[in-house]
Amino acid sequence: MQTIHSLADMTCWSNEVIGSGSTIALVPTMGYFHEGHLELMRSASRLADRVVVSLFVNSLQFGPSEDLASYPRDLARDSSMAADENVDILFVPTDIEMYEPDFNARVRVDGITDTLCGKQRPAHFEGVTTVVAKLFNIVKPHITVFGQKDFQQFCVIRKMIRDLNWDIEIVAHPIVREEDGLAMSSRNTYLSREERGKGLCLHKAIQHAKKRFDNGLTDAELLKSEIHDIISAYSGVSIDYISVVDKNNLSDKEVIDSNSVLALAVRVGQTRLMDNCFLGNDTETSN
Ligand code: PAF
């Protein structure tokens, strides 16, 4: 595996690969890898000839009171983990090259960003779409792989790709969970032992929702209120949202059907945790 820092060197490598007729899969990340990231890398290497993993803690997507400064970083650890996978390039651009002092451009996707996490974090998705658009232009991937845990992020990038006519296939990788069901996230490192236990309320809620839907419940309001009760039983956990949305456009559902996704976000202490599941499907993946 080779590490590239310069934007020009990255594009030069991609041009050579594309010129030779090979395909490139890009896995965008902010680093501090866990098994979930490694699964994205493995999936990418099954889908394309060459794999690029970008590692960039993107200041644009953090709000003023969010965790940009404390976001976990360990390049040496990440490099050795990626090197054990089938990764060709670890692309680690510098802040100064990505966002030069006179950088003024923004890429925004309206509508689909106004709901779920977008309500609480108004500038977040604009930061995500801007950096991912830059990464697409620099790396020129044929395929990109995103984790389904950030389901809204996946939907927003999919919409951006369609609206801006990029010839890029986007693939969602199912949520990777710890043995006890906690969805893997770099932010789980913020949790104390006690908080980690409380974070399991999300998995418990998801299991409940799947069972209720399988047993015929279709009333979204009723399901949300049952989930509210499950999560509220955990002290120190505050609910950001409990939503049942359409998997294609994230509009709210009143009647749960096989296109429905249950999306949850809570705060455990200072840490924001998210989780979701498809209600009408055994598999957690959907493109
Ligand atoms: O999901 C993430 O880690 C980030 O939002 C992404 C897609 C790498 C953009 O910075």
Side-chain angles (χ1 to χ4, degrees):
M1 186 187 78
Q2 191 189 336
T3 300
I4 294 182
H5 294 284
S6 132
L7 275 51
D9 288 351
M10 184 64 249
T11 300
C12 185
W13 182 90
S14 291
N15 284 341
E16 274 174 27
V17 169
I18 294 165
S20 74
S22 297
T23 54
I24 300 172
L26 169 67
V27 181
T29 81
M30 297 206 299
Y32 214 70
F33 297 152
H34 49 67
E35 190 58 28
H37 292 112
L38 303 185
E39 279 292 322
L40 300 183
M41 297 174 201
R42 289 170 200 145
S43 166
S45 84
R46 286 191 293 272
L47 293 165
D49 301 319
R50 314 298 289 271
V51 175
V52 176
V53 175
S54 64
L55 192 170
F56 181 65
V57 181
N58 174 37
S59 55
L60 269 196
Q61 70 189 71
F62 288 80
S65 58
E66 293 182 356
D67 57 341
L68 173 62
S70 58
Y71 197 84
R73 294 162 169 88
D74 190 338
L75 181 56
R77 172 184 170 278
D78 284 347
S79 297
S80 91
M81 287 171 83
D84 286 343
E85 303 301 327
N86 230 339
V87 173
D88 295 281
I89 303 292
L90 186 62
F91 176 44
V92 191
T94 58
D95 279 287
I96 190 70
E97 243 209 311
M98 284 295 269
Y99 299 129
E100 291 182 1
D102 62 348
F103 181 84
N104 282 327
R106 294 291 183 275
V107 178
R108 202 181 72 225
V109 178
D110 288 335
I112 198 167
T113 54
D114 296 341
T115 181
L116 304 178
C117 294
K119 268 191 198 161
Q120 267 96 17
R121 307 178 74 194
H124 169 71
F125 283 114
E126 190 173 286
V128 171
T129 42
T130 300
V131 79
V132 173
K134 280 178 73 80
L135 291 169
F136 285 169
N137 287 334
I138 297 161
V139 178
K140 305 182 178 186
H142 302 83
I143 293 172
T144 188
V145 185
F146 279 77
Q148 191 197 291
K149 186 176 71 65
D150 299 307
F151 184 65
Q152 186 175 17
Q153 172 170 275
F154 167 76
C155 294
V156 170
I157 302 293
R158 178 178 60 187
K159 186 85 173 72
M160 175 179 80
I161 290 174
R162 283 184 193 159
D163 286 359
L164 297 181
N165 307 95
W166 265 301
D167 190 9
I168 299 173
E169 182 189 345
I170 181 165
V171 173
H173 192 282
I175 296 176
V176 180
R177 297 180 181 280
E178 306 282 357
E179 253 174 44
D180 58 8
L182 185 70
M184 289 193 184
S185 163
S186 304
R187 288 191 168 101
N188 289 352
T189 53
Y190 298 153
L191 298 169
S192 67
R193 198 183 159 81
E194 195 194 344
E195 288 173 336
R196 199 191 168 292
K198 292 181 179 183
L200 292 177
C201 64
L202 292 175
H203 191 236
K204 192 166 173 193
I206 278 174
Q207 283 177 313
H208 175 81
K210 282 185 167 169
K211 200 155 115 203
R212 290 290 274 138
F213 179 71
D214 289 346
N215 290 338
L217 177 73
T218 57
D219 181 341
E221 281 309 315
L222 180 57
L223 180 66
K224 287 192 277 184
S225 100
E226 290 177 4
I227 288 178
H228 187 278
D229 291 347
I230 291 173
I231 297 179
S232 301
Y234 289 75
S235 68
V237 177
S238 64
I239 298 169
D240 267 5
Y241 60 76
I242 299 169
S243 298
V244 178
V245 295
D246 186 280
K247 71 176 182 184
N248 296 308
N249 57 21
L250 302 187
S251 62
D252 282 322
K253 300 282 268 187
E254 283 175 17
V255 178
I256 309 169
D257 62 18
S258 58
N259 283 330
S260 303
V261 174
L262 171 70
L264 306 171
V266 299
R267 279 171 207 274
V268 183
Q270 299 297 309
T271 309
R272 195 162 181 281
L273 299 178
M274 287 187 297
D275 210 330
N276 64 74
C277 70
F278 288 95
L279 290 172
N281 222 323
D282 276 351
T283 162
E284 288 196 304
T285 323
S286 167
N287 294 340

